[in-house]
């Protein structure tokens, strides 16, 4: 399982987001995941095949309401090489 540098992500978000509240509930308490999830492109041609186009995503979830923001770790250079 590949994990990201959570401290680096939080540092980047603090600079880029500064203090952002949740647009759904107004809370400012977020949970930053250290795990990477996958979002696949849906296409009938790919069902039951293994060569799916996949986007890696890190979740940032509001502690109050569960609203979740998805960040691409490739853009922020968070994947270990
Ligand atoms: Zn919220």
């Amino acid at each position: 399982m590949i994990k990201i540098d959570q401290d680096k992500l939080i540092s980047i978000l603090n600079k880029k987001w500064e203090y952002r509240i949740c647009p759904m509930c107004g809370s400012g308490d977020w949970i930053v995941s250290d795990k990477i999830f996958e979002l696949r492109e849906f296409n009938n041609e790919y069902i039951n095949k293994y060569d799916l186009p996949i986007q890696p995503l890190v979740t940032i979830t509001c502690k109050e309401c569960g609203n979740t923001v998805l960040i691409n770790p490739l853009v922020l250079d968070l994947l270990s090489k």
Side-chain angles (χ1 to χ4, degrees):
M1 177 188 314
I2 299 173
K3 290 192 173 186
I4 59 152
D5 184 338
Q6 194 178 32
D7 291 337
K8 182 178 177 184
L9 175 57
I10 290 170
S11 173
I12 291 169
L13 292 177
N14 284 338
K15 286 179 190 162
K16 291 187 180 293
W17 285 19
E18 295 179 351
Y19 182 78
R20 298 278 191 242
I21 60 170
C22 173
M24 301 304 286
C25 74
S27 167
D29 236 353
W30 298 96
I31 302 166
V32 177
S33 175
D34 64 349
K35 295 177 184 160
I36 301 169
F37 298 89
E38 296 175 345
L39 181 67
R40 292 186 304 188
E41 175 184 0
F42 180 77
N43 187 326
N44 286 340
E45 293 177 18
Y46 296 130
I47 290 177
N48 296 323
K49 292 185 179 177
Y50 294 103
D51 57 346
L52 299 168
I54 292 174
Q55 288 291 315
L57 295 166
V58 176
T59 59
I60 301 175
T61 305
C62 173
K63 284 184 183 175
E64 191 66 32
C65 75
N67 178 35
T68 302
V69 177
L70 303 172
I71 300 291
N72 187 325
L74 295 176
V75 173
L76 299 178
D77 197 27
L78 295 170
L79 293 182
S80 55
K81 295 170 182 150

